[in-house]
Amino acid sequence: MKLISIILAMSAALVFTGCFSPSQKYTQAGFLQDYHRLKENKNVNNSLIWVDPKLGDTPVKRIYVAPVLLRQQKEAKDFIDASSGNFKYLGTDLHDSLVNAFARNGYEVVSSPEKGAEQLHMAITGLTSVPEDVAIYELLPIMAIIDSSRAAIGYRSDEIYLFVETQLKDSNNKANIEAVTYVTGISMSPAAIEDITPEEVKEQADKFAEKLVEALNPLLQRTHDKGEGEE
C-alpha cells in the first residue's frame, strides 16, 4: 500500500452526501487464499494480483466460468446492496456476460470444468456509486479512498464501481492466480440507480464483464509483468 494512500485514509473527511467516507475500511471477503501477497502489476489494470511463480507461459485458450458468487461486505453500509432489489440479478447476469465477453475475445468457453481448461472463479465483494468527478486511490484491503475535493454539490451523474475477487485455477483445481479488481459500469443518476430495472442491470453486467476480461486478459495470455505480483 502506498504511503500517500495511508495518509489519505487517515486524514480525509467526508465532504459530500451520497458517497462513503474516505476513511472507511472494508475487510477482505475471504474468497482468496492470501491477501498479503497481492501486488500491483503495470500490465493489469485496476488490480492487485498474485501469480504462482511456477506458472508457465502458455496462453490460456479454453476457459470455464464458474457461477459468480456474492461476498459483499455487510459492514460496507454505503455500498449498494447487491443482494436486494433488481441488483439481485447481477451475479447471474455477470456470469452470462463474462461467458459472452470471453467468447468475443477468442476464448473457447466450456460449460463445465474439464482437462486443459482454465477455471475462473469470481466473487462480487462491493458495488458502489460515486460522482464521476471523484477518483478512487486505493484498492486493498477492500478500501475505497476517495478524492472528494472535486465533488460538486447536486452533481447528478454517478459512476458505478464493481469490486471483485478472482481466482484462476488450472484443470486440477489448483489456484495459480489471484486478483482483486475494480471496474466501472455505465454512469447513472442516483435516482436511476435506486430504481434500476432488470434490463439496466444486464447492461451494467455487460459493461463490467467487458472491462473485467480486458483487465484479466494479460494474466490469461501470460503477458503480465513477470517481475510484479509473483513470489
Side-chain angles (χ1 to χ4, degrees), residues 1 4 14-15 19 26 38 42 85 107 122 125 164 166 170 182:
M1 184 183 296
I4 187 171
L14 182 63
V15 299
C19 185
Y26 304 99
L38 299 176
K42 63 185 179 183
Y107 293 89
M122 181 176 290
T125 60
V164 299
T166 302
D170 61 22
Y182 76 83

Side-chain angles (χ1 to χ4, degrees), residues 59-181:
V60 172
K61 296 181 179 179
R62 303 171 69 234
I63 190 166
Y64 163 70
V65 182
V68 175
L69 304 178
L70 179 63
R71 293 286 184 88
Q72 192 168 15
Q73 301 303 289
K74 300 301 182 183
E75 64 270 28
K77 63 181 181 179
D78 294 305
F79 274 39
I80 299 167
D81 185 357
S83 66
S84 66
N86 287 326
F87 277 111
K88 66 185 178 183
Y89 302 113
L90 181 59
T92 300
D93 287 345
L94 183 59
H95 170 270
D96 296 344
S97 297
L98 284 168
V99 168
N100 293 332
F102 277 117
R104 286 196 303 271
N105 279 267
Y107 293 89
E108 178 187 351
V109 183
V110 297
S111 58
S112 60
E114 56 184 64
K115 187 175 181 179
E118 192 89 350
Q119 300 180 33
L120 183 141
H121 297 263
M122 181 176 290
I124 295 171
T125 60
L127 182 69
T128 192
S129 63
V130 298
E132 287 182 319
D133 210 23
V134 174
I136 286 185
Y137 281 118
E138 187 56 67
L139 182 60
L140 190 81
I142 297 180
M143 173 198 297
I145 298 176
I146 301 296
D147 172 16
S148 55
S149 61
R150 293 173 292 142
I153 296 174
Y155 199 89
R156 298 305 300 170
S157 186
D158 283 8
E159 194 86 78
I160 298 181
Y161 283 81
L162 176 76
F163 295 80
V164 299
E165 295 182 4
T166 302
Q167 276 192 334
L168 289 164
K169 300 181 178 181
D170 61 22
S171 55
N172 295 316
N173 210 38
K174 179 181 181 295
N176 50 40
I177 294 174
E178 294 191 331
V180 174
T181 306

